[in-house]
Amino acid sequence: RQFVGKNGFDIIHSMFPTSDVWGAPLAAFGRRTRIISSRRDMGIVRSRKHEIAYRLLAPWFDQVHAVSHAVRNISIEKDGLSPDKVTTIHNGVDVERILATPASVDLRKDLNLNPAGAVVITAVSKLWPVKGVDIFLRAAAVVLKSLPDTNFVIAGWDKTEHAAELRQLACELGIAPRVRFIGRVPSIISVMKASDIFCLLSRSEGLSNALLEAMTCGLPCVATSVGGNPEVVKDGDSGFLVPTEDVQQAADRILQLLKNPHLTKKLGAGSQRRVHSEFTVEHMVRRVAMLYDELLDVKRLG
């Protein structure tokens, strides 16, 4: 409060529930400070107190930046926001940095994948239930019945109880020898570039940076049609969309790619085109800057 009152900020821009809930009241200590809230997901990390606070604070926000159209719609519906205050700003990725990152040339050797030339299918996420890694494992079990040499790699923060459950599930499904849980890695881009297919079978999603990064790497993607995923993946052009919880359809789409190298290459190229056209960090920054300017112009006129 003292910091805000002393510095006289023009804009305070908050991210995620805790900072959103505190940001609006604290901004009131600034002189004519404009308040922006960012909505990054479909509300999955909120508690009941957050739901109440968001509705009470709705009139305080001058702008609300939603990470996808799906998040925008649910924010308006659940939080009582005026639609003219809520705008979509899709995530953007640093395409040049990703393209300049080399592939992990020894991925198969380092992970003891066998045979060395077999396909690698990768999933990247924090290992918690909403990310649907259990669906990924069940789909892997179906794929391995037809193509038993396929390798599945799961990267992401794994210091969770659910991570232990997932490892146990891989054992129960009899696929543990073909699955590698690699946790957090120094360069996930290098892992993606050494992979052949990317999967994101989450149950809820705002707009996945991992999905955008995989597409920038030229990977065909199999993703669930939840949240912002359909705004990124165009079914049959840059990847495939499948219903959430649908193990069989996810497996069928993976097998379709594995059995058709021409299709895999085509969808991978479509992925890169899609990101270049709409999801670069430059697109995102220009959009944010424009909206900041709008608020500052209103402030000057006021």
Side-chain angles (χ1 to χ4, degrees):
R1 179 182 63 82
Q2 291 173 346
F3 183 67
V4 170
K6 178 182 177 181
N7 287 278
F9 297 106
D10 294 301
I11 293 173
I12 289 180
H13 188 164
S14 58
M15 309 266 181
F16 301 109
T18 299
S19 60
D20 281 339
V21 168
W22 282 103
L26 287 174
F29 290 97
R31 294 183 177 181
R32 302 181 65 81
T33 299
R34 301 297 177 177
I35 309 167
I36 302 175
S37 167
S38 279
R39 307 297 164 88
R40 313 294 299 173
D41 55 55
M42 302 290 284
I44 59 171
V45 298
R46 294 189 191 181
S47 66
R48 177 61 179 160
K49 66 183 179 182
H50 290 130
E51 299 285 357
I52 296 170
Y54 268 123
R55 291 195 71 86
L56 291 174
L57 292 171
W60 292 45
F61 296 114
D62 296 289
Q63 286 181 0
V64 175
H65 297 180
V67 77
S68 63
H69 298 314
V71 171
R72 178 182 184 272
N73 293 338
I74 201 168
S75 297
I76 293 169
E77 177 186 339
K78 291 178 66 175
D79 300 339
L81 290 161
S82 173
D84 62 358
K85 284 186 178 182
V86 190
T87 188
T88 299
I89 303 179
H90 289 123
N91 285 343
V93 292
D94 187 342
V95 171
E96 290 186 6
R97 178 186 65 83
I98 293 172
L99 294 179
T101 302
S104 176
V105 293
D106 293 325
L107 180 70
R108 287 163 173 80
K109 180 181 178 181
D110 292 343
L111 297 180
N112 194 28
L113 301 180
N114 185 37
V119 168
V120 175
I121 301 172
T122 297
V124 178
S125 73
K126 179 179 179 180
L127 301 191
W128 59 333
V130 73
K131 291 299 185 178
V133 179
D134 56 314
I135 303 300
F136 179 66
L137 290 173
R138 295 184 189 280
V142 176
V143 170
L144 287 166
K145 290 178 181 177
S146 296
L147 299 172
D149 289 335
T150 308
N151 296 289
F152 295 84
V153 172
I154 299 168
W157 191 63
D158 59 354
K159 306 303 180 185
T160 65
E161 290 184 12
H162 189 57
E165 296 170 357
L166 292 170
R167 289 186 174 90
Q168 180 60 35
L169 177 60
C171 293
E172 292 172 359
L173 293 170
I175 62 172
R178 300 260 64 83
V179 178
R180 295 290 184 272
F181 291 87
I182 63 174
R184 283 180 167 173
V185 294
S187 174
I188 191 60
I189 302 302
S190 295
V191 174
M192 288 179 175
K193 283 193 168 182
S195 304
D196 300 285
I197 297 170
F198 181 81
C199 283
L200 180 70
L201 302 182
S202 45
R203 295 179 168 95
S204 181
E205 204 65 62
L207 194 79
S208 170
N209 282 317
L211 179 60
L212 292 175
E213 289 168 345
M215 292 172 68
T216 308
C217 291
L219 294 180
C221 300
V222 178
T224 44
S225 53
V226 299
N229 288 350
E231 298 170 37
V232 178
V233 176
K234 297 301 180 184
D235 192 50
D237 178 70
S238 53
F240 289 124
L241 293 169
V242 300
T244 185
E245 310 292 344
D246 194 329
V247 172
Q248 188 60 53
Q249 190 164 338
D252 288 346
R253 289 307 197 184
I254 293 170
L255 285 167
Q256 187 177 351
L257 290 169
L258 293 177
K259 295 177 179 180
N260 190 336
H262 176 73
L263 178 63
T264 300
K265 184 176 181 179
K266 173 189 171 186
L267 296 188
S271 287
Q272 283 191 320
R273 285 195 304 272
R274 183 89 179 114
V275 173
H276 276 277
S277 66
E278 293 190 41
F279 297 98
T280 66
V281 70
E282 290 82 8
H283 280 98
M284 179 181 69
V285 168
R286 281 196 297 269
R287 181 77 173 136
V288 173
M290 182 189 73
L291 290 167
Y292 281 179
D293 283 341
E294 286 182 6
L295 276 187
L296 295 174
D297 285 344
V298 170
K299 181 177 177 180
R300 292 185 192 104
L301 291 172

